[in-house]
Amino acid sequence: GETFSFTTPTAAPAVVTAAASAISAKSATLTGTVNPNGEVTTAYFQYGVTTNYGTFSTTNNLTADYEPLAVASLISNLIPATTYHYQLVGSNGTGATPGADLTFTTLAEPKPTDILFNGVFALSGGTLQLSFTNVSGLNFTILGTTNLAVPVGDWTVRGAAVELPSGSGNYQFVDPQATTNATQFYRVRSP
């Protein structure tokens, strides 16, 4: 019998850009698939507010497979309420293949609503805890003073309120310095 050998021709990767997921005000997860067509392949997303893109995700290194492989990249530091274009690009020794251009729109940042105070609690050792409810995911700063005649701009920053548990909209601020003053006034500053 005769022995035959043949070489499988190589091809640039086959790329499919898919819908973005987990979209928030400042981040999103971009997804797609890349068939490396038998060659070691790299894949990345390019994205931006126009089809000129301008920003790149991290690079994914894919094995020399012949099946479509899922690719996903979390991108962040996005502008709220903005439409972004994105495209998956796969590249191997034979060439580079851009996927289709798709778009997603980031969510608007949540706006504070009226603060609903749940209470002021004296904890052990004279520590004071403020508890209030508002829209989840915001950053509140607590200011304090012992003299209401002082302009608000001169109040001391006491710290940040913490959302516990995360995503609940329930905020707490603990002031361990409350015992140092007979009278203390607080102000909650919204973002």
Side-chain angles (χ1 to χ4, degrees):
E2 292 183 45
T3 302
F4 294 98
S5 68
F6 65 94
T7 303
T8 304
T10 58
V15 177
V16 175
T17 307
S21 63
I23 300 167
S24 71
K26 295 185 178 180
S27 67
T29 299
L30 305 182
T31 64
T33 60
V34 175
N35 183 335
N37 283 325
E39 288 194 42
V40 172
T41 298
T42 59
Y44 63 89
F45 291 90
Q46 53 185 1
Y47 61 97
V49 294
T50 69
T51 53
N52 291 334
Y53 306 112
T55 308
F56 303 92
S57 72
T58 56
T59 300
N60 296 271
N61 296 309
L62 307 175
T63 59
D65 208 323
Y66 286 96
E67 296 294 325
L69 303 173
V71 177
S73 290
L74 173 65
I75 58 172
S76 56
N77 298 319
L78 303 178
I79 302 165
T82 302
T83 298
Y84 281 86
H85 289 263
Y86 66 102
Q87 175 183 63
L88 177 58
V89 178
S91 180
N92 63 21
T94 303
T97 306
D101 172 77
L102 296 179
T103 62
F104 68 90
T105 302
T106 52
L107 303 178
E109 283 199 284
K111 300 282 189 222
T113 60
D114 291 337
I115 291 173
L116 175 61
F117 279 97
N118 300 329
V120 177
F121 308 97
L123 304 178
S124 63
T127 301
L128 181 82
Q129 177 184 317
L130 299 174
S131 178
F132 61 94
T133 304
N134 207 293
V135 176
S136 175
L138 299 178
N139 297 312
F140 291 96
T141 304
I142 309 301
L143 308 172
T145 187
T146 56
N147 182 355
L148 280 178
V150 173
V152 173
D154 294 334
W155 285 36
T156 304
V157 173
R158 295 285 190 230
V162 178
E163 187 176 11
L164 294 173
S166 181
S168 68
N170 294 312
Y171 295 86
Q172 293 179 358
F173 170 73
V174 176
D175 187 357
Q177 302 173 6
T179 59
T180 61
N181 300 305
T183 304
Q184 181 75 6
F185 301 96
Y186 294 95
R187 180 178 288 260
V188 177
R189 183 168 58 198
S190 62

